[in-house]
Amino acid sequence: MAEAHQAVAFQFTVTPEGIDLQLSHQALTEIYLSGLRSWKKKLIRLKNGVITGVYPASPSSWLFVVIAILATMYMRSDPSMGLIAKIQEHLPVSQSLSAQCQTVVSAVLFSTLLWFSLIFTMRMCLKQLLSYHRWMFEQRGKMSNTTKVWVALVRIFSGRQPLLYSYQGSLPNQPVPAVKDTVKRYLESVRPLTTPDEFERMASLATQFESSLGNRLQWYLKLKALWASNYVSDWWEEYIYLRGRSPIMVNSNYYGMDFLYVTPTPIQAARAGNTLHAFLMYRRKLNREELKPMGKGTVIPLCAAQCERMFNTTRTPGEETDTVQHWQDSDYVAVYHRGRYFRLRMYSSSRPLSPREIESQLQRILDDPSPPSPGEEKLGALTAGDRIPWAKARKEYFSLGVNKRSLDCIEKAAFFVTLDDDEQGMMGEDPAASLDRYAKSLLHGKCYDRWFDKSFSVVIYKNGKIGLNAEHSWADAPVVAHLWEYVLATDSFQLGYNEEGHCKGEVDASLPRPQRLSWDITPECQEQISQSLAVAQALADDVDFHVFSFRDFGKGMIKKCRISPDAYIQLALQLAYYRDRGMFCLTYEASMTRLFREGRTETVRSCSNESCAFIKVCRRLLRQASEKHQNLYKHAMTGAGIDRHLFCLYVVSKYLGVDSPFLKEVLSEPWHLSTSQTPVQQVELFDMVNHPEYVSCGGGFGPVADDGYGVSYTIMGENMMNFHISCKHSCSQTSSHKYGGQIRQALRDMLQLLCPDQREPSRTDQSQTKKDL
């Protein structure tokens, strides 16, 4: 237990001669350096807080205003029109200062007030400018003069070098749509899914709701929109995520994959060393607010509020509702390997460990032969099972003593790391099946070797492959994807490995060993762990997953046909589902609303009258269906969606204790097809032309409905699209592989329908595709 002694700053013993005090200079030095690092971070936060607080102005602009006012006064002119004299009359220290000093102080105070007024005016102007969304509805490549002027004004009012959170005070609030507009769009979305009699009944309920209860509920929502930063997000996080009592594994958490064709090193500890160091580099950028707040290739800022809880965050279970806890800083990660938990410090003498040092520390964990203590190996199953048993167990068995200290260590860690003994990735005689296993491993693993409550868990496999499992309540997938892309690119293109496959750099041999966490898990607690594991295992075994890359063509070919790639894929999913099930279904596509302050997501109801008509008829309607989908997507992004508004109206009705048959029926409709595109946000980090092998397979999630599909897709470069399909074995009507085949065929058929002059993929092309998979 050498590491335990090194963690003690001083020891004392009582002897007949008195107290023998023994100080550890190394420990005291570490305490000093740790405190120094903490104060540096506080100063950086303070500096960034000042810069962000006065944005779009800069702190130096205050001095410019003061000098300008003093200069005009020196020229015997009064720019304040008498206000400086008024301030001078009411100075509390006027008797102890000379007349000249009083004038200067008054001028400085006036200049400061003028400066704040200018900042407020600029911020309000920028807020109004960012409320303009007509640019979204213009044809690609045909920008109107109004939009050109708007872009110029946004650039003028945005300043030169905004920090990550600079725009937070200037982002517009998400608007509350009119009840009649939401009801109208809702009825339009369900028309192709209902019979005439069913639609007539639903229209009657909607009309009754709109003319009576809807206006009353709307009044409360508008009041909340005036008071709160976002009228949706807090309720969405609370009622959709945190109040869910079923397992978050599979049902809520999602995953991200490694490079598809490349494994930079087969050495597990080395890959982990670079990966963990890259996470620290990203966190440093995040703390310094050096990340760009703008969307890819635009001047439009996106809300960065979700980034605040990326690290040092965990979801804590409760009997009625969970909570998301975030700590300001953490200098270590929690590591799991072969049933043991370790605390690995990521800093030494106030500096982050180098990749080679992290590799050395993780190798110590891999070489540690000690067995897990009773109940420790499968402890993580508590986070994979139902939430109420976990909340009760946490309160009963982990609220005191050694268990509380060890649990605190995991929950307060920067993030969670699993050193997995399995080998994953696209490999073996059946690469396609290996990708399916890889996806399931990242989604649920063994149901106890991930800590599903952490903001994200990094998985390092024995063969050097990596992956990520993320908890959903604190943020949405695009935020985590931004982090993951940075880590993958930094690992391979910046940090790199030596000829032997180890991390570069030297090792400080005096680093203390990783600290093994201790547990005292009673037989009663072990029984609860077993019960949670049984629930989680049944859920994991029921998941049917299929992952594939479509390389016959990509967004390059689709754009040549003048169609939105996202709309094209959504229509292909609709066509594939119709061929698979012989019917249309309510379809969910996630769209971000981060154009607004604290915005999260909105639903694009992809199954429309136009998409159903296209599937039934011909090519001309394909373009109409694509345009309709794009219009629905843009409405969702600009706050004019359907589902979040109806959801909030429903929440208000529950608070008021009134029932609405219309809202109750709307909120109970199942999403048989739940889809989401994971955008590639940092294209500049990857050279897909010269290094096409360095492409990630994207990520996925579990099915939302027991008898439905979950589909995640990523458009990679110009010639590749990746799909992750999930459903449940227990439903005889669904099959991920069968639906995947329908998607492939739908993509090809639509291209021939849309662009008949384009050649069919040859058998050679198809064989090559199968070989690639």
Side-chain angles (χ1 to χ4, degrees):
M1 297 296 290
E3 66 276 7
H5 292 291
Q6 292 176 1
V8 178
F10 65 90
Q11 302 175 25
F12 69 91
T13 55
V14 179
T15 65
E17 292 77 19
I19 296 177
D20 181 16
L21 184 65
Q22 298 178 1
L23 295 175
S24 170
H25 293 287
Q26 180 182 357
L28 290 176
T29 301
E30 287 295 327
I31 290 173
Y32 166 74
L33 293 173
S34 178
L36 186 64
R37 172 173 164 267
S38 177
W39 277 104
K40 284 181 179 179
K41 284 194 170 185
K42 288 179 181 178
L43 290 175
I44 291 172
R45 291 193 187 104
L46 179 62
K47 182 195 74 172
N48 289 341
V50 172
I51 295 173
T52 300
V54 302
Y55 191 83
S58 64
S60 60
S61 64
W62 172 81
L63 185 60
F64 175 81
V65 174
V66 170
I67 293 174
I69 294 297
L70 291 176
T72 55
M73 292 182 65
Y74 180 77
M75 300 294 293
R76 305 297 183 182
S77 176
D78 184 7
S80 70
M81 294 181 291
L83 287 177
I84 292 178
K86 288 287 185 182
I87 294 174
Q88 187 172 346
E89 290 177 5
H90 295 85
L91 280 178
V93 292
S94 58
Q95 295 180 353
S96 60
L97 295 176
S98 65
Q100 188 175 5
C101 287
Q102 292 178 30
T103 303
V104 171
V105 171
S106 301
V108 170
L109 290 174
F110 170 77
S111 301
T112 304
L113 292 173
L114 177 61
W115 182 61
F116 279 121
S117 300
L118 291 172
I119 291 172
F120 178 78
T121 302
M122 291 176 66
R123 187 169 288 182
M124 289 301 101
C125 290
L126 184 56
K127 195 168 191 175
Q128 290 300 313
L129 286 169
L130 295 177
S131 298
Y132 171 84
H133 297 128
R134 283 176 54 190
W135 58 273
M136 244 181 179
F137 297 87
E138 296 176 353
Q139 291 184 3
R140 185 181 295 272
K142 295 183 179 180
M143 186 183 295
S144 66
N145 291 330
T146 303
T147 300
K148 290 178 181 177
V149 172
W150 171 77
V151 170
L153 289 173
V154 169
R155 291 183 185 276
I156 291 171
F157 281 93
S158 292
R160 291 185 178 180
Q161 294 179 337
L163 298 176
L164 178 62
Y165 301 118
S166 291
Y167 285 99
Q168 291 303 103
S170 303
L171 289 172
N173 290 0
Q174 187 166 335
V176 182
V179 173
K180 65 176 183 178
D181 292 338
T182 297
V183 170
K184 179 182 176 182
R185 292 191 183 108
Y186 169 76
L187 291 175
E188 184 182 349
S189 73
V190 298
R191 186 160 200 145
L193 307 174
T194 56
T195 64
D197 290 340
E198 290 172 339
F199 181 78
E200 189 65 30
R201 182 184 65 83
M202 202 66 204
S204 176
L205 289 175
T207 302
Q208 182 182 359
F209 170 78
E210 181 185 341
S211 61
S212 56
L213 183 60
N215 290 327
R216 181 185 172 194
L217 301 180
Q218 180 79 347
W219 186 87
Y220 284 95
L221 277 192
K222 287 185 175 180
L223 185 63
K224 184 187 179 187
L226 290 173
W227 176 253
S229 299
N230 190 292
Y231 83 96
V232 179
S233 295
D234 57 341
W235 284 351
W236 185 254
E237 180 178 305
E238 175 74 15
Y239 293 105
I240 299 301
Y241 293 116
L242 298 179
R243 291 215 176 190
R245 302 294 81 196
S246 59
I248 61 175
M249 183 200 76
V250 174
N251 293 325
S252 179
N253 285 30
Y254 54 95
Y255 67 86
M257 282 186 170
D258 193 5
F259 293 123
L260 187 59
Y261 304 112
V262 173
T263 305
T265 177
I267 302 175
Q268 185 177 20
R271 189 74 194 280
N274 267 6
T275 300
L276 268 59
H277 187 80
F279 276 113
L280 293 184
M281 292 173 64
Y282 188 92
R283 186 170 75 162
R284 180 183 177 88
K285 284 181 173 288
L286 187 64
N287 290 339
R288 293 174 177 266
E289 301 183 29
E290 294 173 353
L291 302 172
K292 295 179 180 179
M294 279 77 73
K296 180 180 68 177
T298 72
V299 297
I300 314 303
L302 300 177
C303 179
Q306 296 179 47
C307 298
E308 296 175 354
R309 298 186 292 181
M310 186 174 291
F311 295 92
N312 329 314
T313 298
T314 196
R315 174 172 173 165
T316 304
E319 293 190 31
E320 293 186 2
T321 181
D322 294 354
T323 56
V324 177
Q325 290 187 288
H326 172 71
W327 291 268
Q328 280 294 329
D329 193 21
S330 180
D331 64 353
Y332 66 92
V333 297
V335 182
Y336 177 92
H337 177 244
R338 290 185 180 174
R340 296 92 40 86
Y341 290 87
F342 295 84
R343 179 180 187 267
L344 173 60
R345 288 197 60 194
M346 302 295 289
Y347 292 84
S348 176
S349 302
S350 77
R351 65 167 180 83
L353 297 185
S354 69
R356 187 71 181 88
E357 290 172 330
I358 298 174
E359 177 188 351
S360 175
Q361 292 290 76
L362 290 171
Q363 192 61 52
R364 286 176 167 180
I365 293 176
L366 291 170
D367 295 339
D368 188 333
S370 62
S373 60
E376 180 183 12
E377 180 181 10
K378 299 179 180 179
L379 175 63
L382 290 172
T383 69
D386 291 323
R387 303 305 291 175
I388 294 178
W390 171 210
K392 291 180 177 178
R394 189 177 188 276
K395 183 177 181 181
E396 185 172 355
Y397 305 116
F398 298 91
S399 58
L400 296 171
V402 63
N403 286 349
K404 184 182 187 306
R405 290 194 295 271
S406 294
L407 181 61
D408 284 347
C409 184
I410 294 175
E411 294 184 336
K412 294 180 180 180
F415 51 91
F416 192 80
V417 180
T418 295
L419 299 176
D420 203 308
D421 276 346
D422 292 339
E423 295 186 356
Q424 296 293 347
M426 192 172 67
M427 58 186 185
E429 297 180 357
D430 191 352
S434 68
L435 278 181
D436 299 345
R437 291 192 297 271
Y438 184 20
K440 281 179 65 67
S441 176
L442 289 174
L443 186 64
H444 54 68
K446 297 183 179 70
C447 301
Y448 58 80
D449 54 351
R450 320 276 187 260
W451 199 267
F452 295 100
D453 285 354
K454 285 298 291 181
S455 55
F456 63 89
S457 299
V458 186
V459 184
I460 318 291
Y461 292 103
K462 189 175 182 179
N463 60 340
K465 277 293 179 185
I466 61 176
L468 176 140
N469 181 289
E471 200 276 317
H472 210 325
S473 65
W474 65 274
D476 299 307
V479 175
V480 177
H482 193 276
L483 163 70
W484 190 236
E485 288 173 18
Y486 176 89
V487 169
L488 289 178
T490 303
D491 167 30
S492 296
F493 305 137
Q494 292 188 32
L495 300 177
Y497 302 88
N498 62 24
E499 294 179 356
E500 291 79 25
H502 292 282
C503 297
K504 298 176 182 178
E506 302 297 328
V507 179
D508 182 358
S510 65
L511 289 174
R513 296 179 63 86
Q515 179 186 353
R516 173 82 183 274
L517 300 186
S518 300
W519 305 92
D520 182 15
I521 300 176
T522 63
E524 294 79 12
C525 182
Q526 293 180 41
E527 177 61 27
Q528 182 54 65
I529 293 172
S530 298
Q531 293 176 12
S532 294
L533 179 58
V535 171
Q537 194 65 61
L539 178 60
D541 291 343
D542 196 21
V543 175
D544 176 21
F545 235 104
H546 180 43
V547 179
F548 69 92
S549 290
F550 184 84
R551 303 195 68 174
D552 290 11
F553 58 87
K555 71 176 182 181
M557 182 69 71
I558 297 171
K559 285 182 177 180
K560 287 180 181 179
C561 300
R562 292 176 295 176
I563 285 276
S564 157
D566 181 72
Y568 185 96
I569 293 174
Q570 283 292 325
L571 291 171
L573 296 178
Q574 293 289 317
L575 177 58
Y577 188 89
Y578 185 79
R579 289 173 171 176
D580 182 56
R581 300 288 295 273
M583 59 186 291
F584 300 109
C585 72
L586 191 63
T587 304
Y588 182 111
E589 181 188 5
S591 165
M592 68 94 174
T593 55
R594 290 170 61 203
L595 294 173
F596 305 104
R597 187 171 182 179
E598 296 182 16
R600 292 202 57 165
T601 61
E602 176 58 279
T603 304
V604 181
R605 292 183 168 229
S606 303
C607 185
S608 62
N609 288 320
E610 288 80 357
S611 67
C612 294
F614 146 66
I615 291 170
K616 292 177 178 178
V617 191
C618 65
R619 180 177 63 177
R620 178 177 58 84
L621 295 179
L622 173 55
R623 292 192 185 277
Q624 293 182 8
S626 172
E627 291 171 2
K628 177 64 176 182
H629 177 269
Q630 280 296 93
N631 202 42
L632 290 172
Y633 200 98
K634 291 168 183 177
H635 274 100
M637 286 186 67
T638 54
I642 300 170
D643 291 274
R644 299 303 178 268
H645 186 202
L646 293 174
F647 162 75
C648 288
L649 290 170
Y650 179 76
V651 173
V652 174
S653 73
K654 288 300 180 183
Y655 277 126
L656 297 179
V658 294
D659 286 328
S660 168
F662 170 69
L663 290 176
K664 187 175 182 180
E665 188 158 341
V666 170
L667 271 295
S668 64
E669 293 170 342
W671 299 99
H672 290 293
L673 184 55
S674 181
T675 71
S676 177
Q677 179 190 168
T678 303
V680 180
Q681 303 177 76
Q682 302 180 90
V683 180
E684 69 276 6
L685 297 179
F686 302 92
D687 184 355
M688 295 184 183
V689 176
N690 296 318
H691 299 285
E693 68 276 13
Y694 283 95
V695 58
S696 170
C697 198
F701 53 88
V704 174
D706 291 339
D707 58 347
Y709 291 105
V711 181
S712 174
Y713 55 94
T714 309
I715 302 173
M716 306 297 297
E718 296 295 307
N719 303 297
M720 183 178 184
M721 297 178 284
N722 296 324
F723 291 85
H724 299 246
I725 306 167
S726 64
C727 61
K728 292 193 174 181
H729 290 294
S730 56
C731 178
S732 60
Q733 296 177 309
T734 58
S735 167
S736 64
H737 287 75
K738 181 182 176 184
Y739 186 49
Q742 295 284 16
I743 292 173
R744 291 187 187 91
Q745 191 59 46
L747 290 168
R748 297 185 185 112
D749 291 347
M750 284 174 55
L751 183 67
Q752 289 301 306
L753 181 64
L754 190 64
C755 303
D757 56 322
Q758 300 295 334
R759 68 179 179 88
E760 282 268 9
S762 65
R763 290 188 177 181
T764 304
D765 294 335
Q766 295 180 21
S767 299
Q768 182 61 42
T769 300
K770 292 178 181 178
K771 184 179 180 181
D772 291 339
L773 285 173

